[in-house]
């Protein structure tokens, strides 16, 4: 148990559906992240939030829409996805202590787009 | 820019064998170095870290020493178990950039 929870753990959706992924951290961290992990590809950073403000968007298609209502919660809203968006979506949060940032990950949401 | 290179997998070993997974890095300044582990069906878990040269991180029998002279942070364990089968990620963090992850090394341990 890392202190970062994600729901749902598994999701199957059609290309015309709208769904949302939820992440919650109980660690008091101020930064949160979305990553995409596809088979046989490196971990891809999607979005970064610091103190609820988006500080990084790594050229992610607009069919992925993040939302960070407070420092403990992060959402990823999904609409009109493509089959190639099927992947494991990981949420992380981080703290910086003595200038060292350490990230803690949730268990991920396994997404299948049909 | 900063980067991390770790050995290609998969790595297959017998139980109780000695493990080394190589990781080298390129960075300006004084980065922090991490090893994360991902068990099947789960997210990444922090395994150990080191924040300055010559520091040794250790956890669950795994060790890695921050070697500035060789820009390396190799992961070692003296006697692996079947339960160590997972994917291992080396990572680098610095004040100038977000954490950068290596491509991961899959480890399989035979009983």
């Amino acid at each position: 148990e890392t202190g970062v929870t994600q729901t749902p753990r598994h999701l199957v959706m059609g290309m015309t559906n709208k769904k949302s992924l939820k992440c919650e951290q109980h660690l008091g961290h101020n930064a949160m992240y979305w990553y995409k992990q596809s088979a046989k590809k490196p971990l891809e950073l999607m979005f970064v939030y610091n103190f609820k403000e988006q500080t990084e968007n790594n050229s992610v298609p607009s069919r992925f829409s993040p939302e960070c209502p407070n420092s403990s919660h992060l959402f990823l809203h999904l609409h009109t996805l493509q089959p190639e968006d099927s992947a494991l979506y990981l949420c992380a949060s981080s703290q910086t202590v003595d200038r060292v940032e350490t990230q803690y990950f949730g268990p991920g949401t396994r997404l299948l787009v049909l | 820019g900063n980067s991390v290179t770790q050995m290609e997998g998969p790595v297959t070993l017998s139980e109780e064998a000695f493990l080394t997974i190589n990781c080298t890095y390129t960075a300006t300044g004084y980065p922090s170095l991490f090893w994360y582990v991902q068990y099947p069906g789960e997210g990444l878990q922090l395994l150990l870290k080191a924040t300055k040269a010559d520091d040794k991180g250790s956890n669950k029998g795994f060790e890695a020493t921050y070697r500035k002279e060789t820009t390396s942070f190799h992961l070692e364990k003296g006697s692996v178990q079947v339960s160590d089968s997972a994917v291992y990620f080396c990572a680098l963090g610095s004040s100038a950039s977000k954490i950068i992850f290596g491509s991961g090394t899959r480890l399989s341990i035979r009983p």
Side-chain angles (χ1 to χ4, degrees), chain B residues 20-61:
Chain B
T20 301
I21 300 179
N22 290 338
C23 173
T24 57
Y25 67 91
T26 303
T28 54
Y30 304 96
S32 299
L33 299 171
F34 307 84
W35 278 101
Y36 284 82
V37 58
Q38 186 176 30
Y39 298 104
E42 299 184 15
L44 277 68
Q45 299 176 26
L46 179 65
L47 182 59
L48 52 85
K49 67 180 181 183
T51 60
K52 61 183 188 294
D54 300 326
D55 266 3
K56 178 186 284 187
S58 61
N59 186 24
K60 299 181 182 180

